[in-house]
């Protein structure tokens, strides 16, 4: 999928499909009004007949249209203009793209809606395209979805800032697709070593510095908590470190991702129902890899470290047991009371490693707790932090790119939940209550005084059901937020 810019009257745009957005309860203005005239007032007529209302995500294909160059027309509802935002434009475009990509076509043109500013609107629509065209059916013999070769954005005027916006959207879109694809890849094909090889390919293409730690190196680095999780599996663990150094003597941002390529629960085995989607448990690491790819491609003038902790969580004769006490990299002892609380164990070592690599600010992303789904639902990430200013910075970045996160409290009292009788801390909260927070309190033990924010993406990383704007499966969430955070880092 190639993104291009074109400035010409809508009636003269050549395309297999021309997508035109219509606002609810508003007669078309300017370029769309002109276009309606060329169509002999078709849009006005459809509105008057009540066939088209402009309601959000409403799709009206017109297969035969006189007076315009495009072969077909797709009208898409944008909802009401006073509620226009990034998510709304993204969803409307995604719905259109999902419909169009069900059949092959070469060139799609989209009239850029006049909302927000043109740069932001363009990125929102472009992301809608990537989302609507992506498929979870990566192992089907017959393709059921084909993205168009070219998506042309029809704009009033082409300027350098719009060209930058296209470049950014194109790179972010590919990176979100990479994250979706990694999440959707079956766990027989995606395991710590194969994930690390993917990171190697991306590093060599983009010029990112790469280090892959294998078992002996992880042992030498004292990552005993990570190794304890990995021990139950026949697949050896990896820790991938990617480095982007373009910020000179400036501070370093570290992105840390949970990469459990399959979470069976270990000896605290999950039920089939709980386990069935657990190939998604590496979505945090996938978001980090995607974001690093774009940060490198856009040559952002910052220092960023990407750390991916990759393991498989399996039961076996070698698996860690309930009651085991682990000696984490930073010296703290951890009593294991549930082997299914494995994400926090691998992140413990990955976070303290990032601190030792001299990160000035940390963000970790993890499909960490079912409790976060109970608290915030399927579409919103939990945001927990040890630093209010840094937390706000992460929240602002997510809002700027239409991704939803919401802060959960980190009161000192919650620390009680992870107290252990035999060790420094234990790996569960001990009750069903505040499970997302007790997990975050656990992670906090491994970041020292470094400003840190934790995104629990257990909900938004995986779409259980298909909807009008996307297929079920990996969502590629929070790649955009991380890129925005890196872009605004140090400002
Ligand atoms: N990977 C799961 C969390 C998860 C659940 C992600 C549902 C996506 C959807 C995590 O490793 C886990 O099993 N967490 C346990 C923690 C508990 C044992 C303290 C949970 O949430 O039940
Ligand atoms: Mn688990
Ligand atoms: Zn897990």
């Amino acid at each position: 999928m190639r993104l291009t810019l074109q400035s010409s009257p809508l009636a003269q745009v050549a395309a297999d499909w021309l997508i035109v957005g219509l606002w609810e309860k508003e007669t078309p203005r300017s370029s769309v009004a002109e276009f309606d005239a060329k169509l002999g007032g078709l849009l006005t007529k459809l509105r008057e007949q009540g066939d088209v209302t402009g309601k959000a995500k409403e799709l009206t294909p017109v297969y035969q249209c006189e007076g315009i160059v495009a072969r077909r027309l797709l009208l898409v509802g944008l909802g009401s203009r006073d509620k226009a935002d990034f998510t709304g434009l993204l969803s409307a475009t995604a719905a259109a793209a999902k419909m169009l990509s069900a059949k092959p076509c070469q060139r799609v043109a989209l009239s850029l809606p006049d909302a927000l500013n043109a740069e932001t609107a363009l990125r929102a629509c472009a992301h809608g395209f990537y989302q609507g065209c992506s498929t979870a059916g990566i192992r089907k013999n017959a393709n059921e979805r084909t993205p168009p070769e070219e998506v042309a954005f029809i704009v009033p005027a082409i300027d350098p800032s719009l060209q930058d916006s296209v470049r950014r959207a194109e790179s972010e879109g590919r990176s979100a697709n990479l994250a979706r694809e990694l999440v959707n890849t079956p766990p027989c094909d995606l395991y710590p070593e194969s994930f690390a090889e993917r990171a190697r390919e991306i590093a060599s293409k983009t010029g990112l510095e790469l280090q892959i730690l294998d078992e002996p190196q992880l042992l030498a680095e004292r990552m005993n908590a990570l190794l304890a999780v990995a021990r139950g599996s026949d697949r050896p663990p990896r820790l991938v470190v990617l480095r982007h150094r373009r910020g000179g003597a400036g501070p370093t941002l570290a992105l840390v991702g949970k990469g459990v390529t399959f979470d069976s629960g270990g000896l605290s085995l999950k039920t089939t129902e709980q386990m069935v989607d657990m190939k998604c448990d590496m979505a945090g690491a996938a978001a980090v890899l995607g974001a690093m790819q774009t940060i490198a491609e856009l040559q952002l003038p910052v220092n960023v470290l990407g750390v991916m902790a990759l393991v498989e969580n399996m039961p076996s004769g070698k698996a860690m047991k309930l009651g085991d006490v682990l000696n984490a990299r930073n010296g703290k002892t951890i009593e294991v009371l549930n082997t299914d609380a494995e994400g926090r164990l691998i992140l413990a070592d990955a976070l303290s490693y990032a601190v030792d690599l001299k990160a000035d600010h940390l963000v970790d992303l993890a499909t960490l707790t079912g409790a976060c789904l109970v608290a915030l639902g399927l579409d919103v990430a939990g945001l927990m932090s040890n630093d209010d200013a840094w937390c706000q910075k992460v929240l602002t970045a997510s809002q700027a790119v239409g991704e939803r996160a919401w802060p959960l409290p980190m009161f000192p009292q919650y620390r009680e939940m992870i107290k252990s009788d035999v060790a420094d801390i234990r790996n569960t909260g001990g009750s069903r209550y505040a499970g997302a927070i007790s997990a975050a309190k656990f992670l906090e033990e491994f970041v020292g005084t470094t400003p840190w924010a934790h995104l629990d993406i257990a909900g938004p990383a995986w779409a259980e059901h298909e909807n009008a704007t996307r297929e079920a499966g990996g969502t590629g969430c929070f790649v955009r937020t991380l890129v925005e955070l890196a872009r605004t880092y140090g400002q």
Side-chain angles (χ1 to χ4, degrees), residues 72-311:
R72 309 177 196 87
L73 180 62
L74 179 59
L75 303 174
V76 52
L78 299 173
S80 72
R81 180 192 286 274
D82 50 316
K83 292 201 193 100
D85 63 5
F86 196 103
T87 314
L89 288 184
L90 188 154
S91 301
T93 316
K98 185 164 182 249
M99 187 196 133
L100 297 187
S101 59
K103 300 209 176 83
C105 76
Q106 305 220 305
R107 187 173 207 256
V108 173
L110 177 127
S111 163
L112 190 68
D114 52 339
L116 317 176
N117 61 59
E119 287 76 21
T120 312
L122 188 141
R123 280 190 295 114
C125 292
H127 278 290
F129 249 96
Y130 283 98
Q131 180 179 303
C133 290
S134 59
T135 177
I138 57 175
R139 292 290 187 274
K140 287 184 197 277
N141 276 303
N143 275 349
E144 286 172 3
R145 196 169 288 290
T146 41
E149 268 157 44
E150 181 186 354
V151 176
F153 290 91
I154 314 304
V155 294
I158 298 172
D159 61 46
S161 68
L162 266 184
Q163 279 162 338
D164 280 352
S165 196
V166 166
R167 214 165 60 90
R168 176 173 171 195
E170 208 255 343
S171 174
E172 284 180 344
R174 274 188 294 102
S175 292
N177 273 358
L178 167 70
R180 291 183 181 108
E181 185 203 319
L182 288 168
V183 171
N184 287 332
T185 301
C188 56
D189 294 335
L190 192 81
Y191 41 90
E193 292 161 289
S194 61
F195 191 122
E197 281 315 305
R198 224 29 217 280
R200 188 194 300 283
E201 281 165 29
I202 286 160
S204 74
K205 265 190 217 141
T206 56
L208 285 163
E209 285 172 38
L210 168 89
Q211 203 188 352
I212 299 176
L213 278 65
D214 62 11
E215 265 175 310
Q217 289 166 306
L218 290 167
L219 198 61
E221 290 290 346
R222 308 182 315 282
M223 302 219 202
N224 303 317
L226 186 150
L227 285 164
V229 176
R231 218 166 46 223
S233 169
D234 289 344
R235 298 283 190 194
R238 292 290 184 266
L239 188 105
V240 175
V241 182
L242 292 171
R243 242 180 212 281
H244 170 82
R245 267 191 244 250
R246 280 187 168 264
T252 297
L253 166 66
L255 312 175
V256 180
K258 170 178 174 183
V260 176
T261 57
F262 184 72
D263 182 11
S264 72
L267 290 181
S268 311
L269 197 65
K270 288 181 185 291
T271 63
T272 297
E273 214 164 275
Q274 292 169 329
M275 206 190 296
V276 68
D277 294 328
M278 277 304 136
K279 68 176 180 184
C280 80
D281 214 18
M282 32 54 72
V288 170
L289 183 57
M292 292 305 292
Q293 171 171 272
T294 288
I295 289 165
E297 284 180 354
L298 300 181
Q299 308 186 354
L300 297 183
V302 284
N303 299 320
V304 189
L305 206 60
V307 180
M308 285 147 270
L310 306 170
V311 302

